């Protein structure tokens, strides 16, 4: 198995072979081939033959190419690079093919992996076979002027081998092309779902192993999930519903609870990209959000009776601004609590067009609620927190990669270079250079986060490759581990598997321990989507957010998986529900699935601030909080007399502004690490 590792400077004699710039593949065939390492000069990119297909990126604005034939003398690891000091400030793109003129096969390529100058130079590496013909082609997408390139030969530096876990493949025949791995029948086991316009094909996981296939005929869906598929129980009947995101509109397939579905399609034009089920207004009912490629984003608010009402961000009646750029560019939405204030925020990975259109966005939840429990507003603040990057990306992977209790992010490049951003109290720092993620030069559209080897450190799945995490913001890259697809535990052994096409990638696992958690909401949405789950052990805390829709296209498990490494006990699990309820489960079992129902456990008192005094009471605008221990940094939540959350903020001082509340009786809860104190007060 080939591993991509850091490119090092190899000491070699720079040989100048006789091949010159060739304008076509046929001219390259007629010229003397390159047979070893050397330095070469591209006079200009003005050849009449463009690449037949583009190994990286697309053919927009490409009008010419320059061709070189390369025949290595022996099996070796070859690198072609324009990352040279004399090219500083340049912008190149290279494609590498095998085969014959007229029947070429992409083997590799690169656009922007370089660091010199503006970072737009190219570095492409691959294993090559001695005596086999390869074609190195530069196109003029970014630059038609001359530059130098160099070929290195030699094995890459040694790295760890084998990978921490291995995947074995088997075939499961499915009907349809759009995929999900999610529980469809309420037994908390992940099933395989595949969609056509008139059929939902489900392979139900058997608790004893294997699958039972069932085909559900549906109406001819107005829109099929050609761009994305999301799943969640939006009518709260205990059975999973589906969202189909197409290039023309959105269809909802609502489960009737008897393995039939009822179709609901909007009439609105929506060029769907990533879609999610999420409780946008935090009223306990699942809503739906859909990124729009060519217009402002759209969402569907649940009226509480299972009816989804359409809004577009720029509409006069739209309650929230969730991405209003006029020409869209919205690709990969994901809902996470990045600032640890116990409510959901949304990051959008953006792509295409002018810089403003492709600049990533963070829509931060302000955490304030009106008396009918609707969120007042979101604020787009990516620039303020360091995430407003105009890179080309279709999706991002969010997780606590350094196990310090907050969500970091891997922003996956669809072209160019990936980025790893560390969360420092809600502000993000670029740690790519020291992380090892830049050794992954392959780009694409799918990125997601799981602990594949259950060592307690989150890993990243990026376009079939896995970056295995060390728990300190560093990663080791293993390429070609599995396919893009959906993730979940498909054999109930506690290790994350994958499925795509008709291939089941079974994670063979290891001796590490684990726990699998299913969240069942009561006051919150029934799936617990948006809940923060914390698993506390002697070695620290592992955090996860329950979410529907990550990566770009596929739908993955709604169960929460946490690897424990060699830990053989769990102190407690804390679940922070969207409703504001906190469950604290003491000493749960390991190496099995645990179902946590909202509100089933007793609260744990925070004895540090048991002396808390609040005044004035009754209060008009501000409540002061007095304790021997500062409450700054703790979460203050206010509930009305019906138990609904009406205010939620992270305290910056020892006071709380309650001026937005209506007159009446309330309960104030101060929470820290799952421990709480409560006080009653009256708002005048």
């Amino acid at each position: 198995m080939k591993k991509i590792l850091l490119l090092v400077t190899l000491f070699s004699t720079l040989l100048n072979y006789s091949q010159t710039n060739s304008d076509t593949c046929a001219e390259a065939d007629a010229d003397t081939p390159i047979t070893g390492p050397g330095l070469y000069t591209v006079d200009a990119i003005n050849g009449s033959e463009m690449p037949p297909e583009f190994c990286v990126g697309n053919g927009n604005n490409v009008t010419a190419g320059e061709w070189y034939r390369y025949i290595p003398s022996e099996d070796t690891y070859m690198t072609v690079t324009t990352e040279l000091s004399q090219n500083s400030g340049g912008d190149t793109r290279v494609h590498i093919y095998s085969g014959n003129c007229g029947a070429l096969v992409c083997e590799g390529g690169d656009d922007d992996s370089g660091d010199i100058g503006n970072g737009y130079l190219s570095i492409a590496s691959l294993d090559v076979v001695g005596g086999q013909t390869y074609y190195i082609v530069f196109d003029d997408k970014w630059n038609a002027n001359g530059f130098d390139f160099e070929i290195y030969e030699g094995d890459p530096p040694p790295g760890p081998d084998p990978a921490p876990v291995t995947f074995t493949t088997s075939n499961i025949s499915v009907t349809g092309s759009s995929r999900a791995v999610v529980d469809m029948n309420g037994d908390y086991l992940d099933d395989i779902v595949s969609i056509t316009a008139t059929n939902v094909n489900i392979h139900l996981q058997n608790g004893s192993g294997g699958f039972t296939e069932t085909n559900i005929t549906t109406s001819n869906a107005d829109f099929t999930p050609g761009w994305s598929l999301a799943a969640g129980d939006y009518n709260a009947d205990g059975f999973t519903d589906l969202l189909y995101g197409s290039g023309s509109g959105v269809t909802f397939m609502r489960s009737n609870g008897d393995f039939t579905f009822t179709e609901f399609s909007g009439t609105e034009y929506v060029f769907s990209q990533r879609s999610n089920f999420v409780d946008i207004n935090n009223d306990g009912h699942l809503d739906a959000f859909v990124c729009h490629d060519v217009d402002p984003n759209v969402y569907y608010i649940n009226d509480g009776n299972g009816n989804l009402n359409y809004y577009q961000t720029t509409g006069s009646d739209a309650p929230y601004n969730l991405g209003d750029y006029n020409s869209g560019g919205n690709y990969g939405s994901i809902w996470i609590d990045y600032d640890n204030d116990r409510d959901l925020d949304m990051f959008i990975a953006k792509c295409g067009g002018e810089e403003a259109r492709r600049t990533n966005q963070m829509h931060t939840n302000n955490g304030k609620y009106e008396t009918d429990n609707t969120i007042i507003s979101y604020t787009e603040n990516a620039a303020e927190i360091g995430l407003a990057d105009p890179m080309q990306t279709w999706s991002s992977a969010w997780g606590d990669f350094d196990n310090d209790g907050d969500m970091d992010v891997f922003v996956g490049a669809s072209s160019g270079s990936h980025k790893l951003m560390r969360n420092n109290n809600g502000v993000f720092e670029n740690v790519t250079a020291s992380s090892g993620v830049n050794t992954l030069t392959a780009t694409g559209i799918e990125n997601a986060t799981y602990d594949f080897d259950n060592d307690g450190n989150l890993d990243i799945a990026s376009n079939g490759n896995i970056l295995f995490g060390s728990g300190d913001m560093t990663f080791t890259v293993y390429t070609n581990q599995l396919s893009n697809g959906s993730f979940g535990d498909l054999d109930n052994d506690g290790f994350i598997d994958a499925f795509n096409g008709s291939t089941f990638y079974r994670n063979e696992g290891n001796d590490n321990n684990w726990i699998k958690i299913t969240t069942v909401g009561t006051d919150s949405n029934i799936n617990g989507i948006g809940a923060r789950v914390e698993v506390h052990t002697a070695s620290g805390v592992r955090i996860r957010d329950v979410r529907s829709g990550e990566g770009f296209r596929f739908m993955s498990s709604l169960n929460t998986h946490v690897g424990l490494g060699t830990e053989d006990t769990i102190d407690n699990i804390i679940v922070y529900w969207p409703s504001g309820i906190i469950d604290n489960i003491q000493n749960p079992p390991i190496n099995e699935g645990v179902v946590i129902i909202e509100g089933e456990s007793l609260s744990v008192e925070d004895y540090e601030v048991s002396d808390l005094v609040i005044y004035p009471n009754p209060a008009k605008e501000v409540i002061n909080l007095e304790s021997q221990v500062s409450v700054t940094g703790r979460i203050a939540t206010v509930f009305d007399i019906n138990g609904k959350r009406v205010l939620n903020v992270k305290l910056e001082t020892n006071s709380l502004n309650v001026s937005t509340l209506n007159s009446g009786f309330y309960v104030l809860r101060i929470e820290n690490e799952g421990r709480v104190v409560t006080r009653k007060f009256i708002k005048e």
Side-chain angles (χ1 to χ4, degrees):
M1 151 192 345
K2 181 167 70 72
K3 298 179 288 294
I4 299 179
L5 295 115
L6 289 169
L7 178 66
V8 297
T9 301
L10 303 178
F11 294 97
S12 61
T13 303
L14 300 181
L15 305 175
N16 222 338
Y17 293 88
S18 57
Q19 178 166 2
T20 58
N21 299 267
S22 297
D23 289 342
T24 66
C25 185
E27 283 187 17
D29 266 350
D31 207 342
T32 303
I34 298 169
T35 58
L39 180 68
Y40 304 90
T41 297
V42 178
D43 294 331
I45 300 177
N46 55 11
S48 57
E49 184 175 354
M50 297 183 295
E53 64 174 307
F54 296 89
C55 303
V56 290
N58 56 54
N60 295 343
N61 302 319
V62 176
T63 62
E66 288 298 321
W67 293 73
Y68 296 83
R69 183 165 57 118
Y70 166 66
I71 305 176
S73 59
E74 59 183 4
D75 293 357
T76 188
Y77 186 75
M78 183 273 287
T79 296
V80 57
T81 178
T82 62
E83 177 80 340
L84 306 169
S85 59
Q86 61 265 41
N87 295 335
S88 179
D91 192 350
T92 61
R93 190 170 72 168
V94 65
H95 313 272
I96 304 174
Y97 305 91
S98 61
N100 302 308
C101 293
L104 298 177
V105 177
C106 280
E107 296 289 350
D110 183 62
D111 193 352
D112 297 329
S113 289
D115 292 320
I116 291 177
N118 54 16
Y120 296 150
L121 297 171
S122 307
I123 307 170
S125 302
L126 71 154
D127 292 313
V128 291
V129 177
Q132 180 170 309
T133 297
Y134 298 87
Y135 296 90
I136 300 169
V137 185
F138 295 93
D139 67 45
D140 67 339
K141 181 178 180 69
W142 307 118
N143 172 34
N145 299 321
F147 53 86
D148 292 339
F149 72 92
E150 190 167 352
I151 292 177
Y152 293 106
E153 290 181 349
D155 291 334
D161 191 36
V165 290
T166 58
F167 294 85
T168 57
T169 60
S170 59
N171 183 78
I172 298 178
S173 180
V174 299
T175 301
S177 58
S178 299
R179 306 282 185 257
V181 168
V182 67
D183 174 24
M184 292 298 292
N185 62 345
D187 63 358
Y188 310 132
L189 298 176
D190 290 323
D191 308 311
I192 297 171
V193 184
S194 187
I195 307 297
T196 71
T198 58
N199 183 259
V200 178
N201 176 248
I202 306 174
H203 284 71
L204 294 168
Q205 184 182 164
N206 301 324
S208 57
F211 301 89
T212 299
E213 182 180 6
T214 181
N215 278 300
I216 302 172
T217 301
T218 67
S219 60
N220 191 351
D222 291 335
F223 308 108
T224 55
W227 283 97
S228 69
L229 178 64
D233 184 3
Y234 76 83
N235 63 331
D237 65 352
F239 293 88
T240 300
D241 312 306
L242 301 171
L243 185 166
Y244 297 178
S246 85
S248 301
V250 176
T251 286
F252 295 93
M253 282 291 177
R254 189 172 73 188
S255 171
N256 297 317
D258 58 357
F259 285 101
T260 64
F261 289 87
T262 300
E263 175 191 349
F264 297 93
S265 295
T267 58
E268 303 83 10
Y269 169 70
V270 182
F271 193 160
S272 308
Q273 302 293 301
R274 177 72 262 174
S275 53
N276 317 93
F277 277 111
V278 61
D279 187 356
I280 294 173
N281 59 357
N282 204 42
D283 63 354
H285 308 292
L286 275 182
D287 312 305
F289 176 85
V290 183
C291 279
H292 205 314
D293 188 7
V294 297
D295 280 313
N297 289 324
V298 303
Y299 47 90
Y300 302 80
I301 300 299
N302 192 330
D303 67 0
N305 296 312
N307 302 307
L308 296 171
N309 298 310
Y310 169 89
Y311 295 92
Q312 188 162 30
T313 282
T314 52
S316 59
D317 59 345
Y320 323 115
N321 185 333
L322 294 172
D324 62 359
Y325 198 74
N326 60 353
S327 65
N330 308 291
Y331 278 53
S333 53
I334 187 168
W335 293 77
I336 37 79
D337 178 12
Y338 83 90
D339 52 2
N340 282 355
D341 64 354
R342 311 287 183 245
D343 50 34
L344 280 181
D345 316 295
M346 180 187 58
F347 180 77
I348 304 178
K350 303 197 68 176
C351 189
E354 64 272 20
E355 182 170 307
R357 186 180 189 269
R358 67 176 190 270
T359 297
N360 297 332
Q361 294 183 353
M362 174 64 78
H363 293 265
T364 296
N365 189 327
N366 292 320
K368 298 179 180 179
Y369 304 83
E370 296 179 352
T371 53
D372 62 354
N373 206 36
T374 57
I375 297 173
I376 293 174
S377 65
Y378 290 83
T379 299
E380 201 292 295
N381 65 336
E384 289 82 353
I385 63 176
L387 292 179
D389 196 322
M391 64 186 289
Q392 300 282 56
T393 174
W394 288 40
S395 66
S396 59
W398 284 80
D400 185 7
F401 299 126
D402 53 1
N403 293 320
D404 67 347
D406 55 24
M407 290 286 177
D408 312 298
V409 58
F410 171 84
V411 186
S414 57
S415 64
S417 300
H418 308 295
K419 283 194 171 182
L420 185 69
M421 307 295 287
R422 173 189 281 134
N423 187 340
N424 290 325
N425 296 316
V427 177
F428 290 82
E429 171 193 3
N430 188 342
V431 295
T432 307
S434 61
S435 69
V437 304
N438 54 3
T439 67
L440 178 64
T441 57
T443 56
I445 66 175
E446 293 290 347
N447 303 282
T449 313
Y450 292 95
D451 183 358
F452 289 99
D453 56 352
N454 280 346
D455 66 349
N457 304 316
L458 281 172
D459 313 311
I460 300 168
S462 180
N463 303 291
N465 311 295
I466 299 180
L467 297 79
F468 283 96
S470 301
D472 59 359
M473 301 298 288
T474 65
F475 294 84
T476 302
V477 175
Y478 289 82
T479 61
N480 302 319
Q481 297 294 296
L482 36 73
S483 173
N484 292 339
S486 305
F487 298 101
D489 183 3
L490 287 170
D491 52 5
N492 202 31
D493 68 349
F495 286 81
I496 293 292
D497 311 301
F499 188 85
N500 191 25
S502 60
T503 304
F504 171 24
Y505 295 82
R506 183 181 187 276
N507 187 335
E508 294 298 329
N510 52 37
D511 293 332
N512 285 335
N513 296 318
W514 52 271
I515 189 168
K516 177 168 58 177
I517 299 161
T518 302
T519 49
V520 179
T522 53
D523 288 20
S524 302
N525 67 85
I526 192 171
N527 299 118
I529 293 168
R532 165 66 59 87
V533 178
E534 294 184 350
V535 175
H536 294 245
T537 69
S539 65
V541 181
R542 303 294 182 266
I543 69 171
R544 305 286 188 269
D545 285 344
V546 183
R547 51 209 185 201
S548 169
E550 59 185 324
F552 179 76
R553 185 183 303 276
F554 303 97
M555 175 68 204
S556 296
S557 178
L558 288 171
N559 293 324
T560 297
H561 292 253
V562 179
L564 302 174
T566 58
E567 298 273 9
D568 56 8
T569 59
I570 296 173
D571 296 333
N572 60 310
I573 299 172
I574 301 174
V575 181
Y576 301 94
W577 298 89
S579 66
I581 291 174
I582 300 173
D583 278 304
N584 197 324
I585 313 299
Q586 305 292 310
N587 303 311
I590 66 169
N591 295 336
E592 63 181 76
V594 175
V595 178
I596 298 179
I597 300 173
E598 183 176 10
E600 70 174 7
S601 66
L602 298 175
S603 298
V604 176
E605 185 174 356
D606 189 351
Y607 291 103
E608 285 187 344
V609 290
S610 60
D611 63 340
L612 180 69
V613 175
I614 66 174
Y615 65 92
N617 189 3
K620 291 184 178 181
E621 293 189 355
V622 174
I623 291 178
N624 297 303
L625 311 172
E626 186 175 292
S627 171
Q628 291 184 1
V629 176
S630 173
V631 296
T632 301
R634 285 171 160 80
I635 305 298
T637 306
V638 177
F639 300 88
D640 65 16
I641 58 174
N642 297 314
K644 293 293 186 180
R645 183 166 67 166
V646 294
L647 181 64
N648 190 79
V649 296
K650 183 182 289 187
L651 292 169
E652 297 180 357
T653 65
N654 281 20
S655 63
L656 176 66
N657 190 321
V658 295
S659 60
T660 60
L661 301 180
N662 291 337
S663 299
F665 292 89
Y666 295 92
V667 175
L668 167 66
R669 187 186 69 197
I670 305 296
E671 176 266 318
N672 185 52
E673 297 181 352
R675 301 184 300 274
V676 303
V677 294
T678 59
R679 298 290 185 267
K680 298 178 181 178
F681 72 94
I682 299 172
K683 169 63 166 58
E684 289 185 337

